[in-house]
Amino acid sequence: MIYFFLIALFCYTLMQFIETVSFGSRLAGKLVNRLSLGTTLQHSIFVASRLFLPPLLLSLSLLIESGLSIQLFLLTATILTITAFFTSLLVLINFNYFQLLFQRVFAQYESTTIPVAIIKALFGKKNKLNQVKLESTPRIRNLSFKKISASSFAYFFLSTGFLIAFSLAILLPEYRMTMSQSTTIFHGIGAIILAMYIDPMISKSLDVELENPYWLENIYSIFIGRLLAYLLASSIFLAFYLYTY
């Protein structure tokens, strides 16, 4: 059972980490005037992170099939989400490093494919490039509460939809298959907010002049919202674990 847990922890954390890092592509695209490439690369990386989803879901399913109690599953969900919170916080602290990394990917992509460009940017010789650093970051008080709230709500369901569904499957074993399929409902809520509000809002703000500070505040608002979603999810799972213990 411990091996299934470790596989789930590795896949979930890495998947969420890659998704969070992909935000740097949009930022790099704005700074070096490669908006289309930055957006395309972010979506490509997001899709690539889904490769970790099948082993993650399979591991969690096998944990449930092995007779995992609701208390242990809630504790597992708490560990997964709090680990994702700290890894995403690490990305935020080093946001400038990751957006500079994507600038190197842009340069490598001029002569090769995206997968090879990423590998060369990560492990190849770092040639001297005219990179644009992020000189300053917006203050928390200047961020939009509305956008932080929308981001938190969307990413809460996107990052925990299957965890909620599997929890319901344990609580209602006679409807286990039905409850596990409710993942699409929870993910759908987050996906609609992301597709209809968050992503268009970021794209619109990135189209304005570079000197306008609102585009950076919007990106950080969405980023902070994602962090709060992980923190909220881990708090809720922990609270239910303590309640059912």
Side-chain angles (χ1 to χ4, degrees):
M1 185 178 295
I2 186 63
Y3 296 109
F4 295 144
F5 167 75
L6 293 176
I7 293 173
L9 179 62
F10 173 79
C11 292
Y12 182 83
T13 303
L14 193 56
M15 183 176 70
Q16 300 299 325
F17 174 76
I18 293 174
E19 286 184 19
T20 308
V21 166
S22 69
F23 271 87
S25 179
R26 299 287 282 271
L27 179 57
K30 174 67 175 180
L31 292 176
V32 297
N33 198 26
R34 304 289 296 274
L35 290 176
S36 297
L37 181 58
T39 301
T40 300
L41 188 57
Q42 183 196 17
H43 289 299
S44 298
I45 293 174
F46 177 85
V47 172
S49 70
R50 300 293 98 180
L51 294 174
F52 295 98
L53 188 57
L56 169 62
L57 295 179
L58 183 60
S59 299
L60 292 176
S61 299
L62 290 173
L63 281 174
I64 295 174
E65 294 293 342
S66 64
L68 190 70
S69 65
I70 184 60
Q71 292 84 4
L72 287 178
F73 186 83
L74 290 172
L75 183 59
T76 299
T78 301
I79 296 173
L80 293 181
T81 49
I82 198 64
T83 304
F85 167 78
F86 283 113
T87 53
S88 297
L89 181 62
L90 181 64
V91 175
L92 179 62
I93 296 173
N94 297 279
F95 207 20
N96 197 49
Y97 166 80
F98 288 107
Q99 72 88 9
L100 290 174
L101 175 64
F102 279 109
Q103 290 186 36
R104 294 199 296 271
V105 174
F106 295 165
Q108 295 289 347
Y109 180 61
E110 295 178 0
S111 59
T112 185
T113 61
I114 285 181
V116 176
I118 294 175
I119 293 174
K120 286 186 176 181
L122 287 172
F123 306 107
K125 183 178 180 181
K126 295 178 176 59
N127 298 322
K128 291 184 177 180
L129 302 171
N130 294 324
Q131 293 182 302
V132 181
K133 291 185 177 181
L134 189 63
E135 297 299 335
S136 61
T137 58
R139 297 181 178 180
I140 296 293
R141 66 171 180 235
N142 294 331
L143 301 182
S144 170
F145 176 77
K146 175 183 176 181
K147 293 168 184 175
I148 291 176
S149 300
S151 175
S152 298
F153 188 75
Y155 284 110
F156 173 81
F157 287 107
L158 285 171
S159 61
T160 65
F162 52 88
L163 296 176
I164 297 174
F166 284 0
S167 298
L168 295 175
I170 297 175
L171 291 173
L172 301 170
E174 62 273 20
Y175 299 106
R176 184 165 52 193
M177 290 298 297
T178 302
M179 292 298 101
S180 63
Q181 294 303 315
S182 65
T183 299
T184 55
I185 299 176
F186 299 116
H187 280 179
I189 296 173
I192 289 175
I193 299 174
L194 184 68
M196 302 301 294
Y197 174 70
I198 295 176
D199 203 52
M201 178 269 296
I202 293 179
S203 297
K204 181 179 179 180
S205 64
L206 289 177
D207 285 338
V208 301
E209 295 297 327
L210 186 63
E211 290 75 14
N212 191 321
Y214 294 116
W215 67 272
L216 189 58
E217 293 177 3
N218 287 336
I219 288 180
Y220 270 81
S221 295
I222 301 307
F223 209 120
I224 295 297
R226 185 177 186 124
L227 286 175
L228 292 178
Y230 292 134
L231 196 59
L232 176 63
S234 60
S235 300
I236 291 176
F237 286 129
L238 181 60
F240 276 104
Y241 166 73
L242 295 175
Y243 176 77
T244 59
Y245 187 72

